[in-house]
Amino acid sequence: GPEGQVVAVKALSLRAARDWKQLQLFEREAQTLAALSHPGIPEYLDYFEEDTPTDRAFYLVQEAVAGKSLALLMKEGARCSSDEAVRIAIELCEVLAYLSSLNPP
């Protein structure tokens, strides 16, 4: 991405992994995210591994989305108008429709 871009990084340590299935799921998540292209889903940017003398770490990098999650806003007591609730619901439905159109979904 552009230099100075804020990103979200998810990491998995091989040493800390409970089992191989956890690593397989992490890699599958990276592959799935790389295949997605929708304005309502943060953009996948990279997946890489890094070795240290005592571990191997796996990283998944996505575009960071500014702001608070809907769950956090609700927990903090935020309320929205019925128009705003409808707008949010429509955006969610558009993402879900896109995801369900994929093969396999």
Side-chain angles (χ1 to χ4, degrees):
E3 193 166 324
Q5 177 181 15
V6 177
V7 298
V9 179
K10 182 175 181 179
L12 175 67
S13 161
L14 186 58
R15 189 174 195 174
R18 293 184 303 275
D19 53 37
W20 283 106
K21 186 69 175 172
Q22 191 176 7
L23 176 58
Q24 290 173 331
L25 291 173
F26 191 83
E27 289 177 329
R28 190 167 86 192
E29 178 181 359
Q31 292 169 351
T32 300
L33 290 172
L36 299 179
S37 178
H38 188 279
I41 300 172
E43 182 184 358
Y44 165 90
L45 299 172
D46 199 5
Y47 175 82
F48 63 95
E49 302 171 11
E50 184 175 72
D51 289 320
T52 66
T54 59
D55 198 6
R56 171 174 279 186
F58 301 85
Y59 298 93
L60 192 160
V61 184
Q62 281 185 279
E63 157 190 43
V65 178
K68 297 179 180 179
S69 70
L70 183 58
L72 181 59
L73 289 170
M74 294 295 111
K75 185 177 179 180
E76 293 175 346
R79 297 292 176 254
C80 60
S81 67
S82 58
D83 286 347
E84 184 71 0
V86 168
R87 184 191 65 75
I88 292 168
I90 289 171
E91 286 183 21
L92 288 171
C93 287
E94 288 171 350
V95 170
L96 291 172
Y98 166 74
L99 293 172
S100 67
S101 74
L102 300 177
N103 188 18

